[in-house]
Structures are given as structure tokens and as C-alpha cells.
Amino acid sequence: MSGSTEPISSNPETAALPAGETQVRSTQGMTTKVVKGSIWTLAGQIAPLAVSFVTTPFVIRMLGTEGYGVFILVVLIPTYLGFADFGMSLASTKFASEAYAKGDNVKEARIVRTAALIAVATSTPFAVMLFVFSESITRAMNVPENLVSDASTALKIGSITLVIGFINGILNTPQLTRLRMELGTLVNGGFRILGLLAIPIVLSVGGGIVGAVAVLMSVSLLTLFGHIYVSRRLLNNLIGLTLEKDSIRYLLKFGGDLSILGIAAFILVNAEKGLLAFSVSAAALAHYSIAFTLANMVVLFSSAMIQSLIPAFSQLQGSENAASLKTLFSRGVRLSLIWAFPLIVILSLVAKPFFTTWAGEEFGSESTYPFYLLLPGIIFNVVSYLPFAAILASGRSNVLARLYWIEIVPYCLIIWLLATTLGAKGAAIAWSLKMTVDTVVMFIITKEFCDIASLRRFLPWFLMATSCVALPFALNLFFESLNSAVIVISVLCLMAYTLLVWNRVLESDETIWLKQKMSIFFAR
């Protein structure tokens, strides 16, 4: 970067202003920025995941199954406290974006500093409790006696990392307000990859679980310095002592609503993992986590798009945009299902040999069926981002909060019953059931956004297409191995699926758009 506060650009939306001056920002080119930002967000998820796939087998073998399960548990426990920043990450982005849109750099910087101070104040007591009661927590989570000491020390380190992570989620605000997702991706993804590479090295010299968690804290600190450097180049008065006192009340109210939602969401997202370790064993958690990691690859693009879907749906609120909102919503659902099904089938075919080669015979045996049982929930999860984004864009986050809080007790009971009887497979069934219920309820809430007629038109042909890709999955289950016959049939079925989707499911304007994009790509 140059020494200016922001890279030189002819676009007034990206031109920096001197401190104290204001100018309303242009929204020209916003759509392009949103699409570009989504791609960068996806890249920031895929690159570390690819590195993780390479390094995780070494970590598993160096720590052993139980040790790896404890490592996962120690990393997981602080995520239950994701609400402890009082929603300041999103609150900072929302209110700082409003100040940035008005060209008020001074107010934007004050909001970021105020949100960071609130987050530190609210999260520090939780971090202190995690630090003080680390040994009691690890014993309560069924950690083997020989690993309790290491797990307790690692959890103490994790409590410090928790607070640093919250600050990171706020100090990247200037990057988000300017839709400079590539900068955040480079900082977050770059240091995360560095950490993934460093963990096996630390383990190879006897660092153990404590050393691995210390690497994660170091990565979080480096990420903090990276965000300070980059964000200050974008917002030159980021560092200061003044606060935005007039916005404290709004920050706290907005953050409080998100915290209520966030507490329930964190419990639901991680409940089956925590209860599996508590009621069964750390080894069962390791088996389930490996299965969940592969299954979750299907939703990477959907999760990356959430940052684009929320502003898009927000702009289409109001009766005058009802038709456009319905079209975007229904098309998103349809296209999400179209690409998800073949990807799910491909992953199901390679799951067992992948687990066996990647993590060892034990995981090939114990993680494969939990993976299969997660797939129904994954299908619903892929499309759930559409109603989720629509609900948040319409300002009804309290509806989601009520849904999540109502689910917690019955969901935990179901996990307990299924996990204690079926182990990792039971946890997978419970998660799929929860994801199905969540998605159905959210679609009911957002039924006014969904063009049911357009979905019904393509449904018969889409069911026919999915029956084609279901055949390889059934054959793979029958033979319990990936052989040449299954591979040939799979290729033929995927070709039939593609033809049916292209000719009968996609609309004419969509096929024209795809042809144009492919022509541009192959012309390079």
C-alpha cells in the first residue's frame, strides 16, 4: 500500500477523506463489489480448509485420537462464549457503515473504538471465569485424567485468545464498511494458514495440546496487528482516545438483541459436539468432527454469500420491490439445490476412502456413517441461508431468537438420547433433525418472499434429476466400497443430471447468462 489513507481510485466511494470532512458516498458499483466480496469471502474459507486437510492427519497422528478430541474440545469450549462481545462485531459494522456512507470518518472511527471498548468490558469477565475454572470445566467434559492438566492449561490460553478474537472482529470494520473483503481475507486467511502449518511443527518438537493452542493465540495476535495496520491505512484516525457517546445506547440496544440470538445460536451450533464429548467420549467427538468437517464443505458457498444476501434483501424491502424480492429469493433456493445435490453425491462416494487415507482406518470405520447421516441436514442447511438472510434483512431477528431458544431444551434432550445410544451416529441424526426443523420454520416465516409457483414448475423435473444422482449413492452403500462400476455409473448419472437441469430446470435467461460467462472464461 502507498502512504495515503486509502488506495487511489476514481470511484468516489473508495476515496478517503481528511479527518473531520464529510461527503455522502456514492453507491455506484455496489453490486459488483458485493459479488467480488462474496468470492473473496469464499476464498478465505476454502484456502485455510485446504491447508487443514493436509495438516490435520499429521495432527491426529501426533496427538492420537483422544488427544485430538481433547484439542477439538478445548478449541470448541470458548466458542460457546461467542455472545460475550455483546454483539459489538455486527453493531460496529452497522453503525460505522452509516457514518461511512455520510462520509463522516471521525464518527466512524469513534464508533469502532467505542464498540471495541464495550466488547472488552463485556467479554473480560467471561474470559476470567474460563481461566479460573478451566480445570473444573475440563473434568466436567469427560477429559481423560492423563490429559486434564494439559487441557486446563490450554483452556487458560484459549480464554485470552477469546478476547483478542473479539477485538479482531471489530477492528476489521473499516474493511467491511468499504466492502474491501479481500483485505480481511488476506489478513484472516493468511495468518490462519500460517497457524495451521505451524501446529504440526510445534507438535513434532513435543509441544502437545498446550503448544497447539499457544500457536492459535499467536495467530490471533498477529491477526490483530494485521487488522490495525490495514484498517488504519483505510481510516487514518482509527486510533484515538475519544468515544462516540451519542451512539453508546444504540450500540448496546442493537448488540443486546443480537446477543440474545447469539447465545441460543452458539448453544445450538455446538450442542451435539459438547454433549457427545460429555456423554460418550473425546474419541467419539473426534469421529463426529471429522465427518462434520467434510459434510460442511457443501455449505461453504452459501455461508460466504450471507454477507451479500443480507444487504441485497435489505435493499428490496417494500411493496414496490416485492416481485424482485420473490424472484431473487426463489431463484436462490432453486440454484442452491441444483449445485448442492451432485456435490453431496460426489462427497458421499469418496467419504470412506478419504477418511481412511486422510485420518486412518479408525476414522474410515467410525466417521463414514455419521457423515451419511449428516447429509439430509446439509441439504436443508444449504437453502436455510436464504430465509435466514431475509428475516434479518426485514429486522425480525427477535423471531429467530424465539425459535432458537424454544429449540434448545428439546434439541439437547434428543442429542442426549441419541448420542448415548448411537454415539457419533446419534449426534449426526440429531443435527439433521434440528436443521430440518429450523429450515422449514424459517421458510414458513418468509413464505411471502417465496414464489411457490415458480418452485412448483421446476419440481417434477428436479426430482427426476435428483433420482439420477441418488443411484450412485445407493450403489455405494450396497457395495460399501468405491469400485470401477460405481464410478462409471456415477459419471453417466451426473451427465444425465446435468442435461435435465440444463434443459428443464434452468430458465432461459439463466442458460444464456451461463453461456456468456463460459464464453468469456474460455476466450481468455
Side-chain angles (χ1 to χ4, degrees):
M1 286 186 175
S2 64
S4 61
T5 56
E6 193 166 17
I8 296 174
S9 172
S10 59
N11 187 344
E13 187 179 16
T14 61
L17 291 171
E21 293 187 17
T22 62
Q23 176 183 325
V24 177
R25 312 282 179 172
S26 170
T27 59
Q28 185 178 1
M30 185 66 72
T31 301
T32 301
K33 284 190 171 186
V34 168
V35 173
K36 180 182 176 182
S38 299
I39 295 172
W40 272 103
T41 302
L42 179 62
Q45 294 175 347
I46 291 177
L49 183 61
V51 175
S52 178
F53 278 146
V54 175
T55 59
T56 298
F58 296 100
V59 175
I60 292 173
R61 286 167 173 81
M62 290 177 185
L63 289 176
T65 301
E66 278 194 336
Y68 179 71
V70 171
F71 173 61
I72 293 294
L73 184 63
V74 168
V75 174
L76 174 67
I77 288 173
T79 66
Y80 285 97
L81 300 174
F83 62 88
D85 73 334
F86 211 69
M88 285 301 107
S89 177
L90 283 176
S92 174
T93 300
K94 171 182 167 57
F95 292 104
S97 294
E98 293 176 357
Y100 172 74
K102 297 175 182 178
D104 193 341
N105 286 359
V106 174
K107 184 175 181 179
E108 179 187 1
R110 288 202 303 260
I111 287 173
V112 174
R113 294 195 295 268
T114 304
L117 180 62
I118 294 172
V120 171
T122 57
S123 63
T124 297
F126 290 97
V128 170
M129 286 190 290
L130 195 62
F131 189 98
V132 171
F133 297 107
S134 60
E135 183 175 346
S136 300
I137 294 171
T138 54
R139 289 186 182 279
M141 296 307 293
N142 203 24
V143 171
E145 186 63 33
N146 63 311
L147 295 175
V148 167
S149 177
D150 284 350
S152 175
T153 303
L155 197 55
K156 285 179 168 63
I157 297 172
S159 67
I160 301 171
T161 307
L162 176 71
V163 179
I164 299 171
F166 286 144
I167 301 173
N168 282 331
I170 295 171
L171 292 186
N172 69 343
T173 296
Q175 302 159 37
L176 301 179
T177 57
R178 291 154 178 78
L179 292 176
R180 297 297 302 273
M181 308 300 185
E182 75 278 12
L183 299 176
T185 293
L186 292 173
V187 173
N188 291 323
F191 286 120
R192 186 180 173 194
I193 289 172
L194 181 63
L196 290 170
L197 295 172
I199 287 175
I201 297 174
V202 170
L203 292 177
S204 68
V205 296
I209 296 172
V210 174
V213 175
V215 168
L216 297 181
M217 185 180 73
S218 301
V219 166
S220 190
L221 280 170
L222 290 172
T223 303
L224 175 62
F225 296 142
H227 282 313
I228 292 173
Y229 175 79
V230 172
S231 293
R232 193 174 183 184
R233 296 295 292 269
L234 297 174
L235 184 60
N236 61 355
N237 54 349
L238 174 67
I239 306 300
L241 298 176
T242 57
L243 300 178
E244 182 58 27
K245 297 179 181 179
D246 294 339
S247 297
I248 290 179
R249 182 166 63 91
Y250 300 104
L251 284 166
L252 291 174
K253 184 180 184 305
F254 185 82
D257 292 339
L258 288 175
S259 294
I260 294 172
L261 171 61
I263 293 171
F266 271 104
I267 294 172
L268 290 172
V269 166
N270 297 298
E272 81 282 3
K273 301 179 184 72
L275 286 174
L276 185 61
F278 178 76
S279 62
V280 184
S281 67
L285 172 62
H287 299 149
Y288 177 82
S289 296
I290 293 297
F292 191 86
T293 297
L294 182 63
N296 207 47
M297 287 183 62
V298 182
V299 302
L300 282 179
F301 186 73
S302 296
S303 62
M305 284 295 294
I306 194 72
Q307 292 186 10
S308 301
L309 286 172
I310 292 176
F313 286 149
S314 297
Q315 293 173 28
L316 294 174
Q317 297 297 309
S319 57
E320 68 278 7
N321 294 315
S324 298
L325 180 56
K326 283 185 177 182
T327 299
L328 178 60
F329 187 97
S330 301
R331 179 168 289 176
V333 171
R334 187 160 45 85
L335 296 180
S336 295
L337 289 173
I338 286 172
W339 64 259
F341 270 96
L343 180 56
I344 284 174
V345 171
I346 292 171
L347 290 178
S348 69
L349 294 177
V350 303
K352 186 172 184 178
F354 172 76
F355 290 141
T356 303
T357 304
W358 184 58
E361 290 286 345
E362 179 182 348
F363 286 86
S365 173
E366 299 296 332
S367 296
T368 302
Y369 277 94
F371 170 80
Y372 292 153
L373 294 168
L374 286 167
L375 294 181
I378 288 293
I379 294 172
F380 282 94
N381 195 16
V382 165
V383 296
S384 70
Y385 287 92
L386 277 298
F388 182 84
I391 292 170
L392 289 182
S394 64
R396 294 183 291 176
S397 57
N398 60 323
V399 175
L400 287 175
R402 286 198 294 268
L403 169 64
Y404 288 173
W405 277 105
I406 290 171
E407 285 182 340
I408 288 176
V409 172
Y411 181 47
C412 289
L413 288 174
I414 291 171
I415 296 170
W416 181 272
L417 292 172
L418 292 176
T420 52
T421 55
L422 299 173
K425 293 189 285 290
I429 294 171
W431 185 86
S432 286
L433 287 173
K434 188 264 297 182
M435 202 65 249
T436 302
V437 171
D438 276 357
T439 306
V440 170
V441 172
M442 285 192 289
F443 267 98
I444 292 173
I445 295 171
T446 58
K447 61 183 178 180
E448 69 269 24
F449 302 143
C450 188
D451 188 352
I452 300 297
S454 69
L455 293 176
R456 285 175 178 169
R457 284 198 302 271
F458 91 94
L459 188 59
W461 289 106
F462 183 70
L463 291 176
M464 187 180 297
T466 54
S467 66
C468 292
V469 292
L471 179 59
F473 179 71
L475 290 174
N476 189 52
L477 285 177
F478 178 77
F479 289 110
E480 295 187 348
S481 63
L482 186 60
N483 55 49
S484 56
V486 173
I487 293 174
V488 171
I489 293 173
S490 299
V491 172
L492 294 175
C493 288
L494 287 171
M495 291 172 62
Y497 176 87
T498 303
L499 289 173
L500 281 170
V501 166
W502 185 269
N503 292 305
R504 297 296 181 179
V505 179
L506 290 174
E507 295 177 354
S508 58
D509 59 332
E510 293 167 350
T511 57
I512 291 171
W513 183 86
L514 287 171
K515 288 178 180 178
Q516 291 174 343
K517 294 301 179 183
M518 286 188 290
S519 298
I520 294 172
F521 178 80
F522 288 112
R524 293 176 179 176

